[in-house]
mmCIF file of all heavy atoms in Angstrom:
data_model
loop_
_atom_site.group_PDB
_atom_site.id
_atom_site.type_symbol
_atom_site.label_atom_id
_atom_site.label_comp_id
_atom_site.label_asym_id
_atom_site.label_seq_id
_atom_site.Cartn_x
_atom_site.Cartn_y
_atom_site.Cartn_z
ATOM 1 N N ILE A 73 -16.934 -5.351 -25.995
ATOM 2 C CA ILE A 73 -18.332 -5.700 -26.284
ATOM 3 C C ILE A 73 -18.905 -5.018 -27.523
ATOM 4 O O ILE A 73 -20.049 -5.255 -27.882
ATOM 5 C CB ILE A 73 -19.255 -5.440 -25.074
ATOM 6 C CG1 ILE A 73 -19.402 -3.949 -24.790
ATOM 7 C CG2 ILE A 73 -18.782 -6.206 -23.848
ATOM 8 C CD1 ILE A 73 -20.533 -3.614 -23.842
ATOM 9 N N ALA A 74 -18.115 -4.189 -28.182
ATOM 10 C CA ALA A 74 -18.612 -3.435 -29.347
ATOM 11 C C ALA A 74 -19.116 -4.385 -30.436
ATOM 12 O O ALA A 74 -18.421 -5.313 -30.838
ATOM 13 C CB ALA A 74 -17.519 -2.534 -29.901
ATOM 14 N N LYS A 75 -20.338 -4.150 -30.871
ATOM 15 C CA LYS A 75 -20.959 -4.884 -31.978
ATOM 16 C C LYS A 75 -21.792 -3.910 -32.792
ATOM 17 O O LYS A 75 -22.271 -2.921 -32.277
ATOM 18 C CB LYS A 75 -21.867 -5.991 -31.427
ATOM 19 C CG LYS A 75 -21.129 -7.134 -30.744
ATOM 20 C CD LYS A 75 -22.121 -8.098 -30.111
ATOM 21 C CE LYS A 75 -21.465 -9.226 -29.398
ATOM 22 N NZ LYS A 75 -20.429 -8.864 -28.433
ATOM 23 N N GLY A 76 -21.959 -4.200 -34.049
ATOM 24 C CA GLY A 76 -22.779 -3.343 -34.887
ATOM 25 C C GLY A 76 -22.050 -2.946 -36.154
ATOM 26 O O GLY A 76 -21.009 -3.502 -36.496
ATOM 27 N N ILE A 77 -22.592 -1.936 -36.802
ATOM 28 C CA ILE A 77 -22.041 -1.464 -38.054
ATOM 29 C C ILE A 77 -20.672 -0.812 -37.784
ATOM 30 O O ILE A 77 -20.545 0.021 -36.906
ATOM 31 C CB ILE A 77 -22.990 -0.422 -38.703
ATOM 32 C CG1 ILE A 77 -24.380 -1.021 -38.885
ATOM 33 C CG2 ILE A 77 -22.428 0.064 -40.030
ATOM 34 C CD1 ILE A 77 -25.435 -0.003 -39.247
ATOM 35 N N ASP A 78 -19.677 -1.223 -38.548
ATOM 36 C CA ASP A 78 -18.317 -0.685 -38.400
ATOM 37 C C ASP A 78 -17.760 -0.852 -36.998
ATOM 38 O O ASP A 78 -16.930 -0.084 -36.546
ATOM 39 C CB ASP A 78 -18.257 0.795 -38.801
ATOM 40 C CG ASP A 78 -18.343 1.017 -40.290
ATOM 41 O OD1 ASP A 78 -18.107 0.066 -41.053
ATOM 42 O OD2 ASP A 78 -18.632 2.157 -40.693
ATOM 43 N N TYR A 79 -18.233 -1.887 -36.284
ATOM 44 C CA TYR A 79 -17.818 -2.056 -34.888
ATOM 45 C C TYR A 79 -16.305 -2.251 -34.758
ATOM 46 O O TYR A 79 -15.713 -1.799 -33.779
ATOM 47 C CB TYR A 79 -18.556 -3.201 -34.203
ATOM 48 C CG TYR A 79 -18.022 -4.568 -34.545
ATOM 49 C CD1 TYR A 79 -17.041 -5.160 -33.754
ATOM 50 C CD2 TYR A 79 -18.471 -5.259 -35.659
ATOM 51 C CE1 TYR A 79 -16.526 -6.402 -34.052
ATOM 52 C CE2 TYR A 79 -17.966 -6.499 -35.973
ATOM 53 C CZ TYR A 79 -16.998 -7.070 -35.173
ATOM 54 O OH TYR A 79 -16.486 -8.301 -35.491
ATOM 55 N N ALA A 80 -15.673 -2.905 -35.740
ATOM 56 C CA ALA A 80 -14.229 -3.147 -35.638
ATOM 57 C C ALA A 80 -13.459 -1.832 -35.603
ATOM 58 O O ALA A 80 -12.509 -1.674 -34.815
ATOM 59 C CB ALA A 80 -13.751 -4.028 -36.783
ATOM 60 N N GLU A 81 -13.858 -0.896 -36.436
ATOM 61 C CA GLU A 81 -13.191 0.401 -36.463
ATOM 62 C C GLU A 81 -13.427 1.164 -35.154
ATOM 63 O O GLU A 81 -12.515 1.761 -34.596
ATOM 64 C CB GLU A 81 -13.699 1.238 -37.654
ATOM 65 C CG GLU A 81 -12.978 2.532 -37.834
ATOM 66 C CD GLU A 81 -13.473 3.310 -39.043
ATOM 67 O OE1 GLU A 81 -14.326 2.820 -39.809
ATOM 68 O OE2 GLU A 81 -13.002 4.443 -39.205
ATOM 69 N N VAL A 82 -14.655 1.119 -34.662
ATOM 70 C CA VAL A 82 -14.983 1.802 -33.403
ATOM 71 C C VAL A 82 -14.265 1.114 -32.233
ATOM 72 O O VAL A 82 -13.719 1.779 -31.357
ATOM 73 C CB VAL A 82 -16.507 1.860 -33.177
ATOM 74 C CG1 VAL A 82 -16.826 2.537 -31.845
ATOM 75 C CG2 VAL A 82 -17.182 2.602 -34.318
ATOM 76 N N ALA A 83 -14.225 -0.215 -32.229
ATOM 77 C CA ALA A 83 -13.532 -0.953 -31.164
ATOM 78 C C ALA A 83 -12.042 -0.599 -31.160
ATOM 79 O O ALA A 83 -11.441 -0.444 -30.084
ATOM 80 C CB ALA A 83 -13.727 -2.452 -31.331
ATOM 81 N N ALA A 84 -11.461 -0.435 -32.336
ATOM 82 C CA ALA A 84 -10.053 -0.043 -32.423
ATOM 83 C C ALA A 84 -9.847 1.356 -31.836
ATOM 84 O O ALA A 84 -8.846 1.623 -31.175
ATOM 85 C CB ALA A 84 -9.565 -0.102 -33.855
ATOM 86 N N GLU A 85 -10.816 2.220 -32.077
ATOM 87 C CA GLU A 85 -10.747 3.580 -31.501
ATOM 88 C C GLU A 85 -10.873 3.522 -29.976
ATOM 89 O O GLU A 85 -10.160 4.203 -29.253
ATOM 90 C CB GLU A 85 -11.843 4.457 -32.103
ATOM 91 C CG GLU A 85 -11.682 5.916 -31.798
ATOM 92 C CD GLU A 85 -10.511 6.563 -32.556
ATOM 93 O OE1 GLU A 85 -10.072 6.053 -33.600
ATOM 94 O OE2 GLU A 85 -10.035 7.595 -32.066
ATOM 95 N N PHE A 86 -11.790 2.686 -29.467
ATOM 96 C CA PHE A 86 -11.921 2.494 -28.031
ATOM 97 C C PHE A 86 -10.596 2.014 -27.438
ATOM 98 O O PHE A 86 -10.168 2.469 -26.379
ATOM 99 C CB PHE A 86 -13.016 1.481 -27.688
ATOM 100 C CG PHE A 86 -14.435 1.960 -27.923
ATOM 101 C CD1 PHE A 86 -15.437 1.031 -28.164
ATOM 102 C CD2 PHE A 86 -14.787 3.299 -27.896
ATOM 103 C CE1 PHE A 86 -16.756 1.437 -28.356
ATOM 104 C CE2 PHE A 86 -16.092 3.727 -28.093
ATOM 105 C CZ PHE A 86 -17.088 2.778 -28.321
ATOM 106 N N GLU A 87 -9.941 1.076 -28.124
ATOM 107 C CA GLU A 87 -8.661 0.549 -27.647
ATOM 108 C C GLU A 87 -7.596 1.664 -27.597
ATOM 109 O O GLU A 87 -6.862 1.785 -26.621
ATOM 110 C CB GLU A 87 -8.188 -0.593 -28.548
ATOM 111 C CG GLU A 87 -6.842 -1.150 -28.126
ATOM 112 C CD GLU A 87 -6.331 -2.257 -29.045
ATOM 113 O OE1 GLU A 87 -6.767 -2.328 -30.205
ATOM 114 O OE2 GLU A 87 -5.489 -3.033 -28.568
ATOM 115 N N GLU A 88 -7.527 2.449 -28.659
ATOM 116 C CA GLU A 88 -6.560 3.552 -28.707
ATOM 117 C C GLU A 88 -6.809 4.544 -27.561
ATOM 118 O O GLU A 88 -5.884 4.980 -26.883
ATOM 119 C CB GLU A 88 -6.649 4.267 -30.052
ATOM 120 C CG GLU A 88 -5.695 5.435 -30.174
ATOM 121 C CD GLU A 88 -5.864 6.192 -31.491
ATOM 122 O OE1 GLU A 88 -6.186 5.555 -32.511
ATOM 123 O OE2 GLU A 88 -5.677 7.415 -31.476
ATOM 124 N N HIS A 89 -8.076 4.871 -27.351
ATOM 125 C CA HIS A 89 -8.412 5.802 -26.273
ATOM 126 C C HIS A 89 -8.060 5.199 -24.913
ATOM 127 O O HIS A 89 -7.543 5.912 -24.039
ATOM 128 C CB HIS A 89 -9.899 6.174 -26.322
ATOM 129 C CG HIS A 89 -10.250 7.061 -27.457
ATOM 130 N ND1 HIS A 89 -11.451 7.710 -27.525
ATOM 131 C CD2 HIS A 89 -9.582 7.408 -28.593
ATOM 132 C CE1 HIS A 89 -11.506 8.425 -28.643
ATOM 133 N NE2 HIS A 89 -10.381 8.244 -29.305
ATOM 134 N N ALA A 90 -8.304 3.913 -24.731
ATOM 135 C CA ALA A 90 -7.973 3.245 -23.459
ATOM 136 C C ALA A 90 -6.478 3.340 -23.186
ATOM 137 O O ALA A 90 -6.061 3.620 -22.048
ATOM 138 C CB ALA A 90 -8.419 1.783 -23.484
ATOM 139 N N LYS A 91 -5.667 3.125 -24.212
ATOM 140 C CA LYS A 91 -4.214 3.205 -24.049
ATOM 141 C C LYS A 91 -3.785 4.615 -23.663
ATOM 142 O O LYS A 91 -2.915 4.800 -22.812
ATOM 143 C CB LYS A 91 -3.503 2.769 -25.328
ATOM 144 C CG LYS A 91 -3.576 1.280 -25.584
ATOM 145 C CD LYS A 91 -2.920 0.900 -26.902
ATOM 146 C CE LYS A 91 -3.024 -0.589 -27.177
ATOM 147 N NZ LYS A 91 -2.452 -0.940 -28.490
ATOM 148 N N GLN A 92 -4.393 5.620 -24.304
ATOM 149 C CA GLN A 92 -4.039 6.999 -23.977
ATOM 150 C C GLN A 92 -4.513 7.380 -22.575
ATOM 151 O O GLN A 92 -3.807 8.077 -21.846
ATOM 152 C CB GLN A 92 -4.626 7.954 -25.021
ATOM 153 C CG GLN A 92 -3.916 7.824 -26.354
ATOM 154 C CD GLN A 92 -4.557 8.633 -27.467
ATOM 155 O OE1 GLN A 92 -5.742 8.951 -27.408
ATOM 156 N NE2 GLN A 92 -3.771 8.974 -28.475
ATOM 157 N N GLU A 93 -5.697 6.899 -22.189
ATOM 158 C CA GLU A 93 -6.198 7.169 -20.830
ATOM 159 C C GLU A 93 -5.289 6.504 -19.797
ATOM 160 O O GLU A 93 -5.056 7.060 -18.724
ATOM 161 C CB GLU A 93 -7.640 6.689 -20.660
ATOM 162 C CG GLU A 93 -8.650 7.290 -21.621
ATOM 163 C CD GLU A 93 -8.891 8.784 -21.472
ATOM 164 O OE1 GLU A 93 -8.303 9.434 -20.587
ATOM 165 O OE2 GLU A 93 -9.687 9.331 -22.250
#
Side-chain angles (χ1 to χ4, degrees):
I73 68 166
K75 291 174 181 51
I77 304 168
D78 286 342
Y79 79 92
E81 186 179 355
V82 178
E85 192 71 22
F86 288 155
E87 178 182 22
E88 179 184 327
H89 289 193
K91 287 177 181 177
Q92 290 173 335
E93 302 294 359

